[in-house]
Amino acid sequence: MGGTVSAVSSSGAYSFTKPNRESITLLAGLGVEGDVHAGVTVKHRFRMRKDPTQPNLRQVHLMHEELFEEVRGAGFEVAAGELGENVTTRGIDLLGLPVGTRLRLGDEAVVEVTGLRNPCAQIDTFRQGLMKQVVGRDADGSVRFKSGIMGVVLSGGVVRPGDGIGVVLPEGPHRPLEIV
């Protein structure tokens, strides 16, 4: 089971979108080098106001490129980096991965999946009505967040578009992703 990196993005300033890069460097225990969300403790502004000492479980934001195709069908044009993700993937069911899954990005970097990204109101500011497209419902009626997953960097390394992504599921019973 695996996929590919289709784009990488980062920004040193708080902004909703992140420009695409030729490469990003993941730093163990910190996140994306030079990205505003990198750090041992939480860097999301809302979460920092609540408790700035919380561990940063949101060091890397990954989003599946297939979501862009899905929202395009509803009339929304979205490109890699525009929803704030660091790594855009293709060919992996990110939302179906359990907590603790390890993703090998390129030759060296390893990211451990911590949970779901919670979609925020800025999505509708970016494209009015887009929030309804990234928050859906499962067959049983339960809410399903589709705006990507979050992880922490276990092993650093350079990640580039075109790099392979290896998937290693955790042992034991799998825990479904929840918002982190």
Side-chain angles (χ1 to χ4, degrees), residues 104-110 156-160 163-164:
R104 177 177 278 287
L105 306 171
D107 294 331
E108 299 174 339
V110 177
V158 176
V159 181
R160 296 177 178 85
D163 282 350

Side-chain angles (χ1 to χ4, degrees), residues 11-168:
S11 177
Y14 283 105
S15 61
F16 184 67
T17 62
K18 295 185 180 195
N20 295 155
R21 309 286 183 193
E22 289 183 18
S23 67
I24 57 173
T25 300
L26 300 185
L27 303 173
L30 295 174
V32 179
E33 182 177 46
D35 192 82
V36 70
H37 292 105
V40 174
T41 56
V42 67
K43 299 302 176 197
H44 187 275
R45 288 189 282 193
F46 173 77
R47 293 171 191 279
M48 286 179 6
R49 281 192 299 271
K50 288 177 79 174
D51 179 2
T53 66
Q54 304 175 66
N56 188 2
L57 302 178
R58 301 165 55 97
Q59 294 175 359
V60 181
H61 177 197
L62 299 100
M63 187 173 294
H64 51 297
E65 187 176 51
E66 291 85 353
L67 177 65
F68 305 151
E69 295 163 4
E70 181 182 327
V71 300
R72 191 173 298 120
F76 295 92
E77 285 298 322
V78 179
E82 288 187 330
L83 294 181
E85 76 276 12
N86 299 112
V87 179
T88 309
T89 68
R90 176 161 278 295
I92 296 177
D93 178 12
L94 293 178
L95 304 177
L97 297 173
V99 172
T101 298
R102 292 184 177 192
L103 302 173
R104 177 177 278 287
L105 306 171
D107 294 331
E108 299 174 339
V110 177
V111 171
E112 184 173 303
V113 176
T114 56
L116 292 169
R117 174 205 185 186
N118 58 321
C120 67
Q122 290 184 50
I123 291 174
D124 265 350
T125 303
F126 173 68
R127 298 270 193 283
Q128 187 62 40
L130 184 57
M131 178 73 102
K132 284 186 176 182
Q133 302 302 313
V134 299
V135 178
R137 298 235 176 235
D138 283 334
D140 66 0
S142 59
V143 175
R144 180 161 190 209
F145 298 108
K146 301 186 278 185
S147 57
I149 64 171
M150 308 304 288
V152 295
V153 181
L154 298 181
S155 298
V158 176
V159 181
R160 296 177 178 85
D163 282 350
I165 303 172
V167 178
V168 179

